[in-house]
Amino acid sequence: MRRTRYFLPTLKEAPREAQIISHQLMLRAGLIDQHCAGIYSWLPLGTTVLQNIADIVRQEQNKVGAQEMIMPTIQSADLWKESGRYEAYGEEMLRLQDRHGRDLLYTPTADEVVTDIARNHLKSYRNLPTLVYQIQWKFRDEIRPRFGVMRGREFYMKDAYSIDMNEEEARASYKKMMTAYVRTFRRLGLTAVPARADTGPIGGDLSHEFLIVAQTGESELFYEERLEDLMSQEDDHVDVDDIMSIYAATDEIHEADKCPIPADKLKVARGIEVGHIFYFGTKYSESLGLKLAGPDNTTIVPHMGSYGIGVSRLVAAIIEASHDDKGIVWPESVTPFKIGLVNIRVSDEDCTAACDTLYEEFKAAGITVLYDDRDERPGVKFADMELIGLPWQVSIGPRGLKDGFVELKNRKTGEIQELSLEDITTKMQEHFGR
Ligand code: P5A
């Protein structure tokens, strides 16, 4: 993508209303635009990151056998009246009416709709286990939306739902999802801590919150240190029983005098909740009358769970976990472009020719690249590149070119290498396995 053609409005200063670094950087790097309180437009750069995160979430859901579907954002209130949550949900629910005066609402979650679909279409225990998910916008009329997309009113969530014939099978689905979560957060370059949590208004009896350790986190977190290593190791292997056996709790349920972890192994930190999973038994299957034929002429009431990941919140959480004083430092797995190519002097013919060639080569190799071809001062271009945080910067100036080299900079380490024009493409192709 050529920068002269790309809609990327960067800002030198952060707007005053942005209190935390991720919100400041998201506004400055042109990822989002505030529409009104807690509601944002995603600009091209932000949209690409959001979709890259959603893709990783999707791949890991598919890998454990969850099936993607799409449920409505506007839902009929009838179903919620039936489950008893239309009144109970309170002011966080955005309620609307259609032209016939029928009550509707904008989905804050889809437990009711999934249960309704199941009761319409599932007949027998042989249809179980059923594991489905969607990646869909949600709305919660938060009383105090803040920190940008971290706590928005409209936000993007992956919500999965499991339907099983009994508690034992439901716990197996829960562990499957837990495995998918561990792999997802590892691939996003994050260390997420799965903390035992109260189930809150969702109800039920088994629940974990996944929290990213960051100073600006809203929750306080207590956990055994070795959990960090298990959650951040780089392979696909997940020992879910081991992970679930390790102590981790938020301040809501942590009791210092009952903590099983010796003080020298206990870590205390702040965390951002990026995921929350629940096993809630027969809560919705009972209230909405989901019954299936069981074995030997019996009837079963399925056991259910629901599993959320805050996809839009993750964009902010990744920035909280990965930035420096110059800007964002994207992990390679979610970066909007792999390479930022800087033409230091567009008026120099050789320089521009070399940049154009390299740009075409990267594209041909399937490596995404943002090419800063603007007629701007180098300082402005470099500051922008640092701000938007692409993992690799390639810069070409007349002086280096005369001696036959271009500069390759690693955004994270700051390490700079001088390479020939030929070597740079090969090196990047090898690095990205192209
Ligand atoms: C689980 C899936 C649920 O809604 N029902 C379906 C369950 N859980 S939850 O914990 O309430 O939300 C899941 C994740 O969504 C993110 N999230 C938010 N992100 C941005 N702004 C908000 N206002 C917001 N509220 C929830 C969190 O990451 C949460 O873990």
Side-chain angles (χ1 to χ4, degrees):
M1 177 61 67
R2 282 177 185 268
R3 184 67 203 268
T4 46
R5 306 297 320 136
Y6 194 50
F7 179 46
L8 174 56
T10 54
L11 305 172
K12 273 216 189 67
E13 307 285 333
R16 236 178 307 140
E17 75 270 13
Q19 297 168 22
I20 60 169
I21 190 74
S22 58
H23 189 195
Q24 292 167 1
L25 289 172
M26 287 184 77
L27 293 169
R28 285 189 55 210
L31 270 69
I32 51 169
D33 174 76
Q34 181 168 2
H35 174 70
C36 61
I39 304 183
Y40 293 84
S41 294
W42 290 78
L43 304 181
L45 199 71
T47 301
T48 304
V49 177
L50 190 66
Q51 284 171 347
N52 289 347
I53 295 172
D55 282 346
I56 290 176
V57 170
R58 177 178 288 117
Q59 286 161 15
E60 295 302 332
Q61 292 291 297
N62 292 345
K63 208 186 277 173
V64 296
Q67 295 168 35
E68 187 166 13
M69 56 190 283
I70 301 175
M71 287 175 271
T73 51
I74 304 286
Q75 303 180 349
S76 159
D78 294 347
L79 203 51
W80 289 72
K81 288 176 184 165
E82 215 183 321
S83 75
R85 285 212 296 178
Y86 189 62
E87 299 310 325
Y89 214 96
E91 299 204 292
E92 267 191 21
M93 180 184 277
L94 183 68
R95 294 154 208 263
L96 350 148
Q97 274 192 344
D98 67 13
R99 59 168 74 193
H100 307 291
R102 290 188 197 108
D103 291 328
L104 300 170
L105 56 98
Y106 197 107
T107 180
T109 175
D111 310 80
E112 274 82 355
V113 172
V114 164
T115 315
D116 183 49
I117 295 169
R119 73 182 174 183
N120 291 339
H121 299 285
L122 299 181
K123 303 281 179 264
S124 140
Y125 75 98
R126 290 196 187 84
N127 301 130
L128 305 182
T130 293
L131 188 56
V132 291
Y133 74 97
Q134 65 173 347
I135 305 179
Q136 178 63 291
W137 293 94
K138 303 286 184 300
F139 195 95
R140 292 182 187 169
D141 203 354
E142 301 272 350
I143 186 163
R144 241 171 262 110
R146 55 181 186 153
F147 304 154
V149 300
M150 190 76 92
R151 181 168 296 283
R153 294 198 295 168
E154 187 181 44
F155 58 98
Y156 205 35
M157 189 204 288
K158 185 283 300 182
D159 42 326
Y161 303 86
S162 61
I163 308 175
D164 284 283
M165 67 181 287
N166 55 34
E167 176 171 347
E168 191 189 344
E169 299 269 313
R171 285 181 187 269
S173 292
Y174 188 94
K175 285 186 186 176
K176 232 191 237 178
M177 262 305 147
M178 169 80 88
T179 303
Y181 276 45
V182 175
R183 292 187 182 137
T184 302
F185 295 124
R186 281 180 189 164
R187 283 184 62 189
L188 295 174
L190 295 168
T191 302
V193 175
R196 279 301 279 258
D198 276 335
T199 48
I202 304 273
D205 71 349
L206 176 61
S207 171
H208 285 85
E209 275 176 49
F210 287 77
L211 298 110
I212 304 303
V213 174
Q215 280 171 354
T216 43
E218 289 188 299
S219 319
E220 195 167 25
L221 185 58
F222 303 82
Y223 60 98
E224 188 178 342
E225 217 168 5
R226 76 185 180 97
L227 196 49
E228 271 184 5
D229 301 331
L230 289 176
M231 295 304 289
S232 60
Q233 74 192 42
E234 285 196 356
D235 56 26
D236 230 25
H237 177 74
V238 180
D239 185 340
V240 70
D241 290 316
D242 188 23
I243 287 173
M244 282 173 71
S245 72
I246 302 175
Y247 183 85
T250 59
D251 50 352
E252 277 169 33
I253 56 170
H254 176 76
E255 292 177 67
D257 50 343
K258 293 195 186 137
C259 179
I261 308 300
D264 62 329
K265 295 207 167 87
L266 182 72
K267 268 206 136 162
V268 184
R270 299 202 71 81
I272 301 168
E273 185 203 313
V274 291
H276 204 154
I277 62 178
F278 306 84
Y279 160 64
F280 47 69
T282 56
K283 182 177 153 98
Y284 298 105
S285 31
E286 271 180 26
S287 64
L288 294 173
L290 168 62
K291 285 193 212 108
L292 306 181
D296 308 322
N297 284 328
T298 53
T299 301
I300 56 159
V301 179
H303 286 240
M304 296 177 62
S306 79
Y307 314 86
I309 291 184
V311 178
S312 48
R313 176 177 289 181
L314 267 169
V315 179
I318 289 171
I319 296 173
E320 288 293 332
S322 184
H323 67 269
D324 61 20
D325 55 355
K326 297 189 186 72
I328 302 169
V329 181
W330 290 118
E332 285 188 4
S333 58
V334 304
T335 186
F337 296 94
K338 306 275 195 230
I339 298 177
L341 174 62
V342 179
N343 184 346
I344 293 179
R345 194 174 304 155
V346 293
S347 58
D348 184 292
E349 266 176 39
D350 292 342
C351 207
T352 296
C355 282
D356 287 356
T357 305
L358 213 48
Y359 176 56
E360 294 303 330
E361 280 180 12
F362 287 142
K363 281 203 298 181
I367 301 170
T368 53
V369 49
L370 180 65
Y371 172 17
D372 197 340
D373 56 344
R374 294 175 302 170
D375 190 6
E376 274 284 0
R377 283 187 293 116
V380 171
K381 295 185 174 189
F382 285 122
D384 255 18
M385 277 298 175
E386 297 287 278
L387 173 64
I388 66 174
L390 309 181
W392 298 96
Q393 293 168 19
V394 175
S395 48
I396 303 187
R399 221 175 313 145
L401 202 57
K402 217 182 309 142
D403 300 331
F405 66 81
V406 301
E407 251 183 36
L408 173 69
K409 180 173 172 185
N410 180 305
R411 173 67 183 86
K412 189 170 172 183
T413 62
E415 190 199 339
I416 295 177
Q417 282 173 275
E418 292 182 343
L419 296 168
S420 72
L421 271 174
E422 295 76 49
D423 287 352
I424 185 100
T425 324
T426 320
K427 187 179 161 87
M428 288 288 97
Q429 274 177 311
E430 275 168 10
H431 180 79
F432 291 110
R434 307 282 165 160

